[in-house]
Amino acid sequence: MKITIVYDNEVKKQGLKADWGFSCFIEGQNIPPILFDTGASSSILLHNMKELGISPSTIGIIVISHSHFDHTGGLQGILELNEDARLYLPASFYRAIPDRNVVKVKDACQICDNVFTTGELRSIEQSLALKTDKGVLLVVGCSHPGVGNIMDAAAEFGTVYGIVGGFHGFSDFARLNDLSLICPCHCTQYKQEIMKLFPQECLDCGAGLVLEL
Ligand SMILES: [Zn+2]
Ligand SMILES: [Zn+2]
């Protein structure tokens, strides 16, 4: 599988725009292309997708982690260019999207081959668990339920070896000791501390970063 960071507070590739928010694009064998979150602005999201060669119409599945604007702001722009994608929204999602293929997620379930949602944790946010040969890689939006709680929930899908996305105010750094891939993005308050503690395991996040799993 391959994950491309499309939207982030920082930028790692020339031509892309940085903005407060998060979105990434997940591709793999035998799975429809997945867009996870949509950043804060449609115009920035679509600009970055164009620069990265990602066509909105090819997206087969859209997953929204939680209702906050910095993860949902670009959704309308994508929906205008893509009428067919299946949407996985947390049960608490703030608005209805009529005439679309919408799955409201409450409990953990499988989305497609090797891709699972943790279910909506703490009534606010879902995360993705990607099953790979190395174990489970977690893709998180803001981690409002807590990084530790998300890791515990994802353990039902296998041993978690990595995590990518926003960690918010997470500071229980020992929880990361057993991971071999840590990519703190977006709202991660203690990004510098985490990068310093785990220099071998950490990837410096930013729009344009590509992770090959
Ligand atoms: Zn949030
Ligand atoms: Zn956020």
Side-chain angles (χ1 to χ4, degrees):
M1 268 189 262
K2 180 177 146 184
I3 302 178
T4 304
I5 307 298
V6 179
Y7 205 114
D8 189 61
N9 301 28
E10 292 182 32
V11 66
K12 286 286 167 261
K13 188 174 187 271
Q14 226 183 355
L16 300 186
K17 290 176 180 164
D19 186 38
W20 181 276
F22 187 71
S23 173
C24 67
F25 185 65
I26 303 162
E27 299 162 276
Q29 275 182 347
N30 308 320
I31 63 167
I34 301 171
L35 188 69
F36 177 83
D37 284 347
T38 63
S41 136
S42 289
S43 63
I44 294 175
L45 178 71
L46 294 173
H47 168 87
N48 284 0
M49 285 177 73
K50 193 172 181 195
E51 289 286 318
L52 291 163
I54 301 167
S55 163
S57 61
T58 62
I59 295 165
I61 292 173
I62 300 168
V63 178
I64 298 292
S65 63
H66 67 301
S67 282
H68 291 167
F69 79 98
D70 48 336
H71 300 255
T72 61
L75 180 58
Q76 193 54 40
I78 294 291
L79 293 178
E80 282 165 16
L81 298 169
N82 180 323
E83 297 188 349
D84 305 316
R86 197 170 354 132
L87 289 116
Y88 285 83
L89 309 175
S92 64
F93 195 69
Y94 71 107
R95 74 170 171 113
I97 302 178
D99 304 324
R100 296 298 173 106
N101 187 353
V102 173
V103 180
K104 284 281 189 129
V105 176
K106 187 105 191 122
D107 301 316
C109 67
Q110 182 162 17
I111 289 179
C112 57
D113 244 14
N114 295 316
V115 180
F116 301 81
T117 163
T118 59
E120 187 187 59
L121 303 178
R122 302 278 161 113
S123 304
I124 181 169
E125 181 172 346
Q126 63 174 332
S127 308
L128 286 184
L130 310 181
K131 262 192 185 177
T132 77
D133 295 340
K134 292 176 218 158
V136 169
L137 182 91
L138 272 173
V139 183
V140 296
C142 272
S143 300
H144 293 298
V147 169
N149 291 325
I150 297 170
M151 287 172 69
D152 291 343
E156 73 169 283
F157 306 114
T159 304
V160 176
Y161 82 94
I163 181 166
V164 51
F167 300 176
H168 210 65
F170 167 74
S171 61
D172 185 10
F173 304 132
R175 284 298 314 241
L176 306 176
N177 281 347
D178 295 332
L179 304 186
S180 56
L181 173 60
I182 305 167
C183 188
C185 306
H186 174 42
C187 58
T188 307
Q189 202 180 331
Y190 298 108
K191 189 170 177 175
Q192 297 313 322
E193 288 83 349
I194 293 168
M195 306 252 310
K196 222 179 249 173
L197 278 169
F198 303 98
Q200 301 296 327
E201 293 79 13
C202 273
L203 281 177
D204 194 6
C205 190
L209 178 73
V210 175
L211 292 85
E212 302 268 3
L213 309 184

